[in-house]
Amino acid sequence: FLKEPHDQKGKDNFKLLLLLNDRFQALWNFTEENYRILKQKCSTSESFLNLCLNLRSCSEAWKHHKTVLKQFLTDFTSETSMSLALYTVLHKPIRDHVEQYILLLTKLNEALKESGGPAQRCLKAICSPSLPLWFPLQDMLCVPERRLLEDSRNLPISASTNRSDRILLFDDVLVLIQGNSFQSFDLKLVWVDKNCREKSAPGAVWQWKLNQAIRQALKGKRDFPLWGKTGEGTEPPSCRFFTYVFRLEGKFKNATYEGEWHWGKPHGKGTLKWRDGRNHVGDFKEGLEHGFGICLVPRRSEDRYDCYKCHWYEGKMRGYGICEYGNEMVYKGYFKDDLRQGFGILENPSADHPFKYTGQWENDKKNGYGVWDDKDRGERYIGMWHDDHKHGQGIVVTQSGVCYQRTFHAGRMVGSGILLLEDDSVYEGNFMEDLTFVGKGKLSFANGFVLEGTFTNKLGQGLQTQGILNTSNEQLDDRITKAQLGLEEFPVEERWKGIYDQFLEFIHSGCKEETEESFTGFHIQTSKELRKSQEYLFCQRGTEDVSWKMEDILEELVQHQELKSLQPYLDKALKSSLHPLGKLLKALMIAFQATYSGIGANRHLLTMAQEEVKYYAKKIWEFYQGLLHLVLEQKGQLPTKSVDGETNDQKACSIVLPLILPCFYPELFMLYMLYHEREDDLYCQGIVDLSLFPDIKLLEFLDVQKHLWPLKDLTLTTNQVRNTVQWKHLLHGCFHTDSTTVDPREKLVILQKTYEEIESTVSRVVEKDYKLPMDDLLPLLMYVVSRAKIQHLGAEIHLIRDLMDPTNQGGLYDFLLTALESCYEHIQRMRLHQRENCHGTHNP
């Protein structure tokens, strides 16, 4: 009844209208067929015949609607609202007619309930596909904005192994009808498998139409292309952004996900929200949390949240993270399978019971080696743990300087131990938590007296003992008063395994950049830094940061294998918070400071600390070697063999130790000062006494041979003054506590320059090359040391001796250090005698 328009848009609309008319005709034919079947089966029922007449008149409405549609097309103008007009002329009549159809069938079913038999069964057979379907569909699917694109009854297709009753493709949803149930899928969350290519013509048409419908739904357009037309982007993108509510899907049940998708699963950046208040923002991979994420978990009994800022792996927390609990506690460390596992720090900053634990975790509990700071009691526990209790060997250091080592069982002290008091007294035996002696024991006093017997402490009567007092010793042996704890009980290889294990696992995983922070992220200690770190990983980096990308780091390792370029490279790497070795060093610094700073600055822990620093250098060298071997293996190359014959331990001491020592120097040097405090006090008093001498008297007092004096006619020339002042300043600048020189190697170099200056000056005085033997060098060096007024010289000498490069032993440096040690010991033992006043100065 219409002429076909000439423009393309009009032709498309014309074809759609013809298709709509055909659908109307099909529905009318379906109604007529139902009417015919029912009439044959139930011709004897009067009520049924009345209903059939109504049904027949209802079906006639499709014929009358053609007239209405024709009038609509005649009256339609450009000013008419298209959506409202189509709803009025097409959607509303169809909806009203279907509702009337359902009402009549419902009444017919009720009329036949009493009679039953074949008539009712027939009616159920006819109505069962229609009644359960149309009631929900009419409310959910029948909206003005939606249009049907394809129906499996017109173009048959199998949806799965079980053949579906019906499939409806709308412009925004895909509906699967199976029996009395149906499912609808938003087209934005429908993917068509590229590997599944339909060979049949209907299947290919369905696949093409479905792809086009998905693409148009994602773009928000309705210009559905005709069959056979192709162009750019005919297949919908596999990565999308959408919001979806999970209904029955496992751990995400009742959660709303907003974010990126890939092939039907959350993949990329997204946000999950549950009705109970849980919230997860972060990275997803193949439908699971994977990568960095922030998760909020509400506490049931309090109006607070636990906030997890962590790395995730296949749906579970794994790797480094920071958890801020609702009770104000903060955990910074590693997770595995949603549990605290590996190295971590738990801190409670609240005023009620402040504490800090730094150490190993296993199955969400403190297990293994760890350090506990009890800020209420002013104590630090260094030792073993089991299931959140002190268990095994442990050392306790107090604020007052008392230090003891005991065996613990489930948090309680058992057996005997050793108690080192601040006055240098030592008690060996059993004692209580308040440090009162009980039972058999031996108390050694600093003056050499030893009391051995049975100790009791009754209320109001004080400490009582019954035993033997030995007064034969003059003073206690240094091996007792300066006893070193924890060396056998805590082998250095067993401390901080949680830190080393993460870096080793990172190397074994191939050093992938996306997992770097998960394994090596412990250098990040605040939530703000953790966020910035993650932003850094995914942002465009500046030119100054390019060299710290993982592929560049590995490539640069190969270019700096020679010793000349290796040390500068390692120095740069260890100072960077972006290089894996720099991150490892930062984690070790945190562990070292947690043990030996503050309360932990106790002389009885010196050897433990010294061992640890040396072992750090060894492990860092091992990890450097591991990174180098990895990149060489990736390149198909073999690592070069060492030609200098040095072992890994020697290379660690000579190459790595000088580079990392500044990071541990403050805590380590404090321990050396405390250990050598008594000797340094004697030395300082000797320096004060020697400073009272004028130069000539001092040279004379030190028995420096007169022909070696840098003097003429007992008067210093300008050049000679400059030389002696230079000696003093060289040593003072090297060993002064404010000096930035902490490397033993650099201190030895300055000591060598001082020796060379002394020898050069003496050679000018005697007017020939003169090599100073020890007998001549020692008095001159004592003169220089006394004038340099070096503080804590004993601590400095022993630190250099303990941490110097092993290859320097037996050489010039070793000789000069021995000479300096001799000066230090001579000044301590020296007893000054009365001397005549010289140049108006009094006799010291």
Side-chain angles (χ1 to χ4, degrees):
F1 58 90
L2 289 175
K3 293 183 180 180
E4 184 173 350
H6 299 289
D7 60 301
Q8 185 59 41
K9 186 174 181 181
K11 290 181 179 180
D12 294 340
N13 291 336
F14 180 79
K15 290 182 179 180
L16 288 174
L17 285 173
L18 291 179
L19 180 63
L20 180 63
N21 183 69
D22 293 339
R23 295 294 183 268
F24 285 176
Q25 186 66 38
L27 184 57
W28 174 58
N29 294 336
F30 177 71
T31 305
E32 288 281 14
E33 182 65 17
N34 286 343
Y35 163 74
R36 185 182 61 78
I37 295 172
L38 289 173
K39 184 176 180 181
Q40 291 177 356
K41 299 291 183 181
C42 308
S43 57
T44 57
S45 172
E46 184 176 349
S47 58
F48 173 77
L49 289 176
N50 293 332
L51 286 171
C52 281
L53 291 174
N54 293 331
L55 188 60
R56 176 64 180 270
S57 62
C58 183
S59 67
E60 297 287 337
W62 302 114
K63 295 179 180 179
H64 301 312
H65 193 66
K66 287 186 177 182
T67 306
V68 178
L69 182 60
K70 185 176 181 180
Q71 185 62 39
F72 159 74
L73 293 174
T74 303
D75 299 337
F76 184 82
T77 65
S78 59
E79 297 178 357
T80 307
S81 172
M82 176 64 75
S83 59
L84 182 61
L86 289 175
Y87 174 80
T88 303
V89 74
L90 299 179
H91 179 82
K92 190 174 183 302
I94 296 174
R95 184 183 180 120
D96 294 341
H97 181 68
V98 170
E99 288 178 351
Q100 189 176 4
Y101 181 63
I102 293 172
L103 180 62
L104 289 173
L105 290 176
T106 304
K107 289 181 179 180
L108 179 60
N109 186 44
E110 291 175 354
L112 295 176
K113 275 184 180 179
E114 297 180 2
S115 60
Q120 187 182 15
R121 288 194 297 270
C122 176
L123 182 63
K124 286 184 178 181
I126 295 174
C127 297
S128 59
S130 304
L131 286 174
L133 168 66
W134 280 109
F135 276 120
L137 280 183
Q138 67 177 353
D139 294 329
M140 190 181 79
L141 300 179
C142 297
V143 293
E145 297 81 10
R146 179 172 289 133
R147 57 190 172 120
L148 181 68
L149 302 180
E150 192 54 80
D151 187 341
S152 62
R153 289 191 175 176
N154 296 330
L155 192 64
I157 187 175
S158 176
S160 63
T161 53
N162 297 322
R163 185 170 181 81
S164 265
D165 292 335
R166 195 173 181 186
I167 301 176
L168 302 176
L169 174 61
F170 291 90
D171 58 354
D172 59 345
V173 292
L174 180 68
V175 180
L176 271 66
I177 306 168
Q178 293 176 305
N180 295 335
S181 63
F182 75 94
Q183 289 179 287
S184 64
F185 303 91
D186 194 308
L187 288 182
K188 294 178 182 178
L189 285 177
V190 174
W191 279 259
V192 180
D193 191 354
K194 297 179 180 179
N195 298 322
C196 180
R197 296 293 181 182
E198 287 287 341
K199 297 181 179 179
S200 63
V205 172
W206 263 99
Q207 194 172 46
W208 182 84
K209 285 194 172 185
L210 187 55
N211 274 324
Q212 296 306 311
I214 294 170
R215 186 170 63 86
Q216 297 301 335
L218 291 171
K219 289 186 176 181
K221 298 180 180 179
R222 303 181 63 142
D223 52 338
F224 189 80
L226 296 178
W227 168 252
K229 295 237 179 172
T230 58
E232 184 181 353
T234 54
E235 291 187 352
S238 58
C239 297
R240 307 170 191 176
F241 186 93
F242 196 67
T243 301
Y244 178 74
V245 180
F246 292 92
R247 301 297 181 191
L248 303 173
E249 292 84 353
K251 63 181 296 186
F252 294 164
K253 184 177 181 180
N254 296 326
T256 301
Y257 174 79
E258 180 180 4
E260 297 173 342
W261 296 76
H262 184 258
W263 286 104
K265 295 179 180 179
H267 191 95
K269 304 287 184 183
T271 301
L272 269 174
K273 294 182 180 179
W274 282 267
R275 296 175 183 174
D276 60 4
R278 284 179 296 158
N279 200 331
H280 182 97
V281 181
D283 299 323
F284 293 80
K285 183 178 179 180
E286 296 183 0
L288 294 172
E289 305 98 322
H290 192 94
F292 180 74
I294 301 176
C295 183
L296 291 176
V297 180
R299 287 181 164 249
R300 295 180 181 178
S301 57
E302 311 169 51
D303 188 20
R304 297 183 179 184
Y305 288 81
D306 292 339
C307 180
Y308 296 87
K309 301 172 184 178
C310 184
H311 293 268
W312 300 68
Y313 181 81
E314 294 182 355
K316 294 183 178 180
M317 286 187 290
R318 179 175 173 182
Y320 179 70
I322 297 177
C323 179
E324 298 167 340
Y325 298 101
N327 58 6
E328 297 185 2
M329 291 190 192
V330 179
Y331 173 79
K332 304 170 187 176
Y334 292 97
F335 291 84
K336 185 176 181 181
D337 295 337
D338 292 336
L339 302 176
R340 291 171 293 193
Q341 183 87 7
F343 180 71
I345 298 175
L346 179 66
E347 186 171 9
N348 181 18
S350 68
D352 295 338
H353 182 56
F355 67 82
K356 183 178 181 180
Y357 172 79
T358 305
Q360 191 72 10
W361 294 78
E362 188 175 341
N363 295 326
D364 218 38
K365 294 182 179 181
K366 295 182 277 290
N367 277 283
Y369 180 78
V371 178
W372 173 272
D373 266 345
D374 190 329
K375 297 181 181 179
D376 275 347
R377 294 170 60 92
E379 290 182 353
R380 178 173 294 170
Y381 171 85
I382 304 168
M384 305 307 295
W385 293 77
H386 180 70
D387 286 349
D388 280 339
H389 294 290
K390 301 169 187 174
H391 193 90
Q393 290 294 319
I395 299 172
V396 177
V397 185
T398 66
Q399 253 176 344
S400 62
V402 175
C403 179
Y404 63 88
Q405 182 171 316
R406 287 291 296 270
T407 301
F408 290 79
H409 181 81
R412 296 182 177 274
M413 293 191 297
V414 296
S416 61
I418 179 171
L419 176 62
L420 306 168
L421 302 171
E422 63 270 24
D423 63 352
D424 284 346
S425 299
V426 179
Y427 174 78
E428 298 170 83
N430 197 10
F431 50 90
M432 307 296 288
E433 287 191 12
D434 60 358
L435 306 184
T436 55
F437 308 154
V438 58
K440 291 184 178 182
K442 182 173 75 171
L443 178 61
S444 303
F445 296 95
N447 60 4
F449 292 2
V450 177
L451 177 60
E452 189 169 3
T454 303
F455 295 85
T456 58
N457 195 340
K458 294 182 179 179
L459 186 63
Q461 298 180 7
L463 180 65
Q464 297 179 344
T465 183
Q466 186 176 8
I468 300 173
L469 178 64
N470 185 349
T471 61
S472 61
N473 298 327
E474 293 185 4
Q475 64 179 13
L476 282 181
D477 190 340
D478 280 354
R479 289 177 298 179
I480 298 177
T481 58
K482 295 183 177 181
Q484 295 298 291
L485 304 179
L487 300 179
E488 296 180 0
E489 293 77 12
F490 315 119
V492 67
E493 299 83 6
E494 299 299 320
R495 303 176 215 161
W496 315 126
K497 286 188 65 178
I499 297 177
Y500 305 131
D501 290 346
Q502 291 295 328
F503 282 81
L504 189 61
E505 191 175 348
F506 175 60
I507 293 176
H508 289 166
S509 69
C511 296
K512 298 176 182 177
E513 187 166 8
E514 60 269 20
T515 63
E516 182 182 356
E517 291 298 306
S518 172
F519 289 116
T520 66
F522 204 85
H523 64 289
I524 303 168
Q525 286 293 294
T526 66
S527 298
K528 188 175 182 180
E529 288 177 353
L530 189 60
R531 274 185 173 275
K532 285 184 177 179
S533 173
Q534 296 309 307
E535 291 170 2
Y536 171 83
L537 290 177
F538 296 101
C539 71
Q540 285 293 113
R541 304 180 184 181
T543 55
E544 70 278 5
D545 295 334
V546 171
S547 61
W548 296 122
K549 292 181 68 175
M550 185 49 60
E551 58 267 26
D552 297 328
I553 289 172
L554 297 178
E555 183 63 34
E556 210 169 354
L557 283 170
V558 182
Q559 301 171 6
H560 296 88
Q561 296 186 63
E562 297 297 327
L563 182 61
K564 186 177 180 180
S565 61
L566 175 59
Q567 280 191 314
Y569 172 75
L570 287 178
D571 186 38
K572 180 183 176 184
L574 291 168
K575 289 178 180 177
S576 171
S577 61
L578 302 177
H579 195 287
L581 296 179
K583 296 175 183 179
L584 172 60
L585 179 60
K586 182 66 180 294
L588 294 173
M589 288 172 58
I590 292 170
F592 190 83
Q593 291 168 359
T595 311
Y596 304 108
S597 66
I599 299 175
N602 191 290
R603 66 184 180 202
H604 302 292
L605 303 180
L606 171 60
T607 309
M608 268 186 71
Q610 178 208 117
E611 271 190 344
E612 238 173 80
V613 173
K614 289 182 177 179
Y615 191 70
Y616 294 163
K618 178 182 176 182
K619 295 303 290 185
I620 289 174
W621 178 255
E622 287 181 6
F623 286 121
Y624 158 74
Q625 291 284 88
L627 290 170
L628 181 60
H629 289 180
L630 173 67
V631 66
L632 291 176
E633 184 179 333
Q634 292 174 350
K635 291 177 171 290
Q637 302 176 15
L638 295 175
T640 56
K641 294 184 179 181
S642 177
V643 295
D644 51 15
E646 284 188 311
T647 64
N648 283 335
D649 289 353
Q650 290 174 328
K651 286 189 175 180
C653 284
S654 61
I655 298 175
V656 180
L657 185 58
L659 300 177
I660 69 171
L661 187 58
C663 301
F664 308 101
Y665 188 80
E667 292 81 15
L668 190 60
F669 189 66
M670 176 61 72
L671 294 173
Y672 272 96
M673 286 195 300
L674 293 171
Y675 187 87
H676 298 282
E677 185 175 16
R678 185 184 302 166
E679 296 89 335
D680 277 340
D681 284 345
L682 290 174
Y683 156 79
C684 286
Q685 185 59 50
I687 291 295
V688 170
D689 293 338
L690 291 175
S691 67
L692 300 176
F693 283 96
D695 289 327
I696 295 175
K697 280 289 186 180
L698 183 58
L699 289 169
E700 189 177 64
F701 174 73
L702 295 175
D703 293 329
V704 178
Q705 297 183 48
K706 288 191 176 183
H707 71 277
L708 300 179
W709 288 12
L711 309 168
K712 280 186 179 179
D713 300 326
L714 302 181
T715 304
L716 288 170
T717 65
T718 303
N719 189 49
Q720 291 162 347
V721 170
R722 184 185 64 80
N723 286 335
T724 56
V725 170
Q726 188 173 2
W727 299 352
K728 175 183 73 174
H729 283 290
L730 274 172
L731 276 185
H732 185 272
C734 170
F735 292 104
H736 195 267
T737 52
D738 293 334
S739 172
T740 57
T741 304
V742 300
D743 183 358
R745 182 174 50 192
E746 294 180 9
K747 292 179 182 287
L748 289 171
V749 169
I750 295 176
L751 182 59
Q752 180 186 1
K753 289 181 179 179
T754 305
Y755 165 72
E756 291 171 352
E757 283 290 334
I758 295 173
E759 198 171 65
S760 174
T761 303
V762 171
S763 295
R764 284 197 297 270
V765 170
V766 299
E767 297 180 347
K768 65 177 181 179
D769 289 338
Y770 190 84
K771 298 299 180 183
L772 286 170
M774 180 62 85
D775 291 342
D776 290 341
L777 174 63
L778 191 59
L780 283 170
L781 193 58
M782 285 181 64
Y783 170 80
V784 176
V785 169
S786 64
R787 287 298 187 245
K789 297 180 181 179
I790 305 168
Q791 294 182 344
H792 312 295
L793 181 59
E796 290 277 13
I797 290 173
H798 285 88
L799 186 146
I800 295 172
R801 175 68 72 189
D802 293 338
L803 300 178
M804 69 186 293
D805 189 341
T807 59
N808 292 327
Q809 293 178 359
L812 177 60
Y813 289 151
D814 197 3
F815 166 74
L816 294 176
L817 190 60
T818 302
L820 190 61
E821 284 177 308
S822 299
C823 293
Y824 176 73
E825 292 172 0
H826 272 71
I827 293 174
Q828 286 184 73
R829 293 193 299 265
M830 187 177 293
R831 298 291 184 263
L832 297 178
H833 301 286
Q834 295 292 327
R835 298 286 183 179
E836 293 181 359
N837 290 337
C838 182
H839 300 293
T841 60
H842 68 280
N843 190 347

